[in-house]
Amino acid sequence: MHKHKEETWALVDLVRKIVKDHQAPLETRMLRGEKLTRADFEPGCEAARMAGLWGLNLPPELGGVRLSMVDRLAITEENSKCLAPIRFGGEVLHAMLNLQGEQKARYLDPLLSGVKRYCFALTEPGGGSDPARAVLTHAKRDGGSWLINGSKTWISLFEDADGVLVFARTSKEKGANAISMFAVERGNPGLVARPVPMLGGFSTHQLTFDNCRVDDLAFIGAEGDGFKGAQQELSRVRFESGAMALGIAQRCYDMMVQHAKQRIVFEGPLSEKQAVQSMIVDSWIEIQQHRLTLYACAEKHDAGQDTRVEAGMVKMTCTEMVGRVIDRAIQIHGAAGCTYESPLAHWYDQLRLSRIYDGPTEVHKYRVLARSLLA
């Protein structure tokens, strides 16, 4: 980790202990073929809460600890080394932090306490890489309420959510400034959800809004500010995607080193073979390079600098890197790395998606980075 403070190391040690006590047994169950439920993750979440790890992005006045980006990424990196990581509670979209009165009581307070969870619905069938242009879902006033019509796709975390934060156009303008955010409760008769199975055992959902009626309290934030709120969330998620990839890469590296030392082939340990040594060294170098970059960018963020471009770069390079490391780890393990009794096979499936969601590699490279550098 890059110039970590003692406090950061203490946080990492704390997360490592919770993972060992609560999450590692869940990983074992997953490797036996069991399907885990939301309830299975509650003990680990509660242990984190009791340890003070609650509302990691929230200010103290709302019951959170508002960790720096460096600290959050260090926690994410350590947590991601387990196939069944801790699901931290008290996560709240930045745009919801200023809710007051009845809106605060209905939406923010249940989120802060962990009673409710909401997922995030921006992507539509017409395109996920250019969301502002592709948003066709619209909402219009109807008396004292709003009617939402449209469709969202590839929506993750819906299966465990109590509601969904949906982004819809509230005017006829074509730009991002016409997009607003609404909270729609699960069970609303105008919301129909269809599960879409994905690689790695994930289940995303396609959501259809058919005259989905919500009241004025469900309108979150100012009109036209919805996409701005979404962009704030995406930058944070992209940093954390990089840290998650780094944590998984480190675990895969540790596994390949251990296996190479123990596996005997042609009258000697696998670790003595030059091809294996090359794969291990290449993986170590890549992990160290990306760790230095990740935390240097996080420090820029904590210093108040605009790091939207860096967030895209970190997400792009780390998710590409972890794919290479996992592939080497499977190659070194041979057939043992290809079974779902090993976390390697699970991550091989899961991490393929990481190069697509929250912005595909090509979009970050040629749309975000190139446009920024050549402006």
Side-chain angles (χ1 to χ4, degrees), residues 10 20 31 46 49 59 73 109 113 138 140 168 178 227 237 239 252 258 304 321 330 346 358 369:
K20 179 181 178 181
L31 297 179
E46 183 60 23
R49 181 174 191 166
L73 297 186
D109 290 345
S113 65
H138 61 276
K140 66 177 182 179
F227 189 72
V237 168
F239 267 124
C252 292
Q258 182 181 18
M321 175 273 295
I330 289 177
H346 291 269
D358 296 329
L369 296 181

Side-chain angles (χ1 to χ4, degrees), residues 45-72:
C45 180
E46 183 60 23
R49 181 174 191 166
M50 295 300 293
L53 296 174
W54 184 269
L56 304 185
N57 68 326
L58 298 179
E61 57 267 26
L62 292 178
V65 289
R66 182 163 275 178
L67 296 179
S68 67
M69 181 62 77
V70 167
D71 286 348
R72 290 200 64 173

